[in-house]
Amino acid sequence: VKGVKATSIDLWHMEGPLFDGVTKYVGDYMTFRARSEPGTSSGVTVSSSNSSVVTVSTKKVTSTNSTDITLKYNAAGSATITLTSEDGCVVYKYKVNVKSEYSCYPGKEKLTPEEFADACTQVMVENGFKKNTNATSYRVWTVKPSELTWSIAKASAQDYVRDWYPNGDRSCWISYEGTDEKGNYIFYTRWG
């Protein structure tokens, strides 16, 4: 109906770490689809207050009133992402903090099994997951002694984040369960 004004912005088809209220790292990304509701101009424009930190690109979805949006985290710093309905009636703002790297164990590459589990959990939490020690479902994760490093913990945890998304509110944590007959470390990646 002509003249109807947008009252909200709907976001969906999300992939990548959340961008509202959590810390990101250089090299992370976020893609999602947006439209304004219930306005007849249902597209959404997006901008970054600091494009050297966060780059924004958009593309209208053919034959729909939706917009595909990509955020790329390029450098350490802060930026405000602003989403605006095409008629200008609705404006959402999100603050993004980008770090060059996770710093739970600065200067310490080799980790104990307990530190490895903690580092993985913290990476997941900082990318939008909630820690839940009561979670019961799990995956078994076997790690060689030489792999108990910060770089592997970070990469593996981010792989789990991307694998589980778009369930950004999912609870999870990593627990160390001991060693197998070959001396490899056994971890459970728990979620619920």
Side-chain angles (χ1 to χ4, degrees):
V1 178
K2 188 175 182 179
V4 173
K5 295 181 179 180
T7 58
S8 64
I9 293 176
D10 183 24
L11 308 178
W12 77 108
H13 286 206
M14 292 186 176
E15 183 179 1
L18 285 167
F19 60 89
D20 181 26
V22 294
T23 299
K24 304 298 173 297
Y25 300 95
V26 172
D28 282 345
Y29 69 95
M30 177 77 192
T31 64
F32 56 96
R33 187 166 289 181
R35 66 185 175 200
S36 52
E37 297 288 357
T40 53
S41 291
S42 294
V44 174
T45 61
V46 185
S47 64
S48 169
S49 66
N50 190 342
S51 58
S52 65
V53 173
V54 183
T55 301
V56 174
S57 61
T58 62
K59 182 180 180 181
K60 287 287 258 181
V61 181
T62 305
S63 302
T64 75
N65 290 324
S66 303
T67 303
D68 280 340
I69 300 163
T70 300
L71 306 181
K72 293 183 178 178
Y73 307 110
N74 301 315
S78 297
T80 299
I81 307 303
T82 303
L83 284 70
T84 307
S85 61
E86 282 189 345
D87 59 15
C89 294
V90 181
V91 179
Y92 290 170
K93 291 181 180 290
Y94 301 93
K95 181 69 175 291
V96 177
N97 295 310
V98 182
K99 290 183 178 181
S100 57
E101 66 176 53
Y102 179 72
S103 57
C104 183
Y105 300 98
K108 186 176 184 181
E109 174 63 11
K110 184 69 175 178
L111 305 178
T112 67
E114 292 79 10
E115 289 172 337
F116 185 86
D118 181 62
C120 289
T121 297
Q122 291 305 315
V123 171
M124 290 181 182
V125 169
E126 289 197 4
N127 280 277
F129 288 84
K130 301 173 184 178
K131 184 174 180 179
N132 178 10
T133 56
N134 295 319
T136 56
S137 300
Y138 64 89
R139 300 176 182 177
V140 177
W141 186 4
T142 303
V143 179
K144 297 177 181 178
S146 61
E147 295 176 332
L148 291 180
T149 65
W150 155 237
S151 59
I152 291 178
K154 177 183 177 183
S156 299
Q158 289 180 334
D159 284 344
Y160 273 99
V161 168
R162 293 184 177 114
D163 184 29
W164 284 344
Y165 217 80
N167 298 311
D169 59 348
R170 177 165 286 192
S171 301
C172 67
W173 66 300
I174 302 288
S175 64
Y176 170 51
E177 298 295 325
T179 57
D180 62 16
E181 66 279 1
K182 295 181 179 179
N184 296 319
Y185 295 104
I186 304 298
F187 297 88
Y188 286 172
T189 308
R190 303 178 186 269
W191 74 94

